[in-house]
């Protein structure tokens, strides 16, 4: 495994730890988070789920919420999942911009308080950004091919679908 791959994995682990250390996992849910949680937490009446919300976040947290009665397991899961997702999203950029440049971009992205805060938040903000990063890299990979392979097209469609699940209106802009 090349050094940049190992450093990328270590960076993801550091990002996970930083999220937990800076913002904790026991902070009470905001109103928006409570609405998403209410959709999938057993024994909790579902709050009004307006059309502007999408089901992607509820699908993401459902497996943990089904077994957890507290918010901290969900936040811990999201912190880990966001670290993995960001690491993989920037891995798609390695071939395009080089390993070191992709690492620096990943560190800058992970180094903002917004990314660290929303990594464990029950909200679509970060997930839309990460899906957009991955979809853009996949699209560039496909466009660089003389004829895109079926795998490349499925990859682009998959990332675009992930974006649409968390923020449908933003995904339209991404697709355009």
């Amino acid at each position: 495994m090349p050094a940049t791959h190992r450093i990328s994995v270590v960076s993801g682990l550091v990002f996970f730890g930083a999220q937990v250390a800076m913002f904790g996992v026991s902070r009470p849910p905001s109103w928006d988070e409570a609405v998403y949680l209410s959709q999938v937490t057993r024994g909790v009446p579902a709050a009004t789920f307006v059309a502007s919300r999408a089901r992607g976040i509820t699908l993401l947290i459902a497996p943990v919420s089904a077994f957890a009665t507290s918010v901290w397991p969900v936040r811990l899961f999201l912190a880990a999942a966001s670290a993995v997702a960001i690491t993989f999203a920037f891995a798609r950029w390695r071939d395009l911009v080089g390993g070191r440049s992709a690492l620096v971009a990943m560190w800058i992205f992970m180094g903002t308080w917004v990314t660290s805060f929303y990594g464990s938040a029950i909200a679509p903000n970060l997930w839309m950004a990460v899906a957009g990063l991955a979809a853009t890299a996949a699209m560039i990979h496909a466009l660089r091919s003389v004829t895109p392979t079926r795998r490349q097209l499925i990859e682009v469609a998959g990332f675009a679908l992930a974006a649409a699940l968390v923020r449908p209106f933003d995904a339209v802009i991404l697709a355009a």
Side-chain angles (χ1 to χ4, degrees):
M1 178 187 286
T4 55
H5 291 73
R6 287 191 300 274
I7 294 169
S8 181
V9 170
V10 170
S11 299
L13 292 170
V14 169
F15 176 66
F16 168 75
Q19 290 179 76
V20 173
M22 289 190 320
F23 298 104
V25 292
S26 296
R27 67 184 187 271
S30 68
W31 171 252
D32 286 338
E33 291 177 309
V35 171
Y36 286 115
L37 279 168
S38 75
Q39 304 301 308
V40 292
T41 304
R42 273 192 270 151
V44 174
T48 303
F49 202 78
V50 296
S52 63
R53 297 187 189 278
R55 295 287 178 184
I57 297 304
T58 56
L59 292 173
L60 184 62
I61 65 170
V64 180
S65 296
F67 301 105
T69 56
S70 178
V71 73
W72 75 263
V74 176
R75 290 202 190 283
L76 197 61
F77 167 74
L78 287 173
S82 65
V84 169
I86 291 169
T87 301
F88 279 118
F90 278 98
R92 294 300 295 135
W93 284 93
R94 269 191 223 123
D95 296 341
L96 298 172
V97 298
R100 289 183 182 154
S101 296
L103 270 175
V104 170
M106 184 172 85
W107 293 337
I108 292 169
F109 187 79
M110 287 178 166
T112 66
W113 76 267
V114 173
T115 304
S116 296
F117 178 80
Y118 280 107
S120 63
I122 306 158
N125 306 10
L126 179 69
W127 297 100
M128 180 61 206
V130 173
L133 275 167
T136 303
M139 178 60 84
I140 293 170
H141 275 282
L143 291 174
R144 288 175 69 183
S145 302
V146 175
T147 54
T149 65
R150 182 183 184 120
R151 181 187 171 280
Q152 288 174 320
L153 296 175
I154 290 171
E155 184 180 29
V156 170
F159 289 131
L161 177 61
L165 281 172
V166 293
R167 284 262 169 106
F169 300 115
D170 292 358
V172 170
I173 302 302
L174 177 65

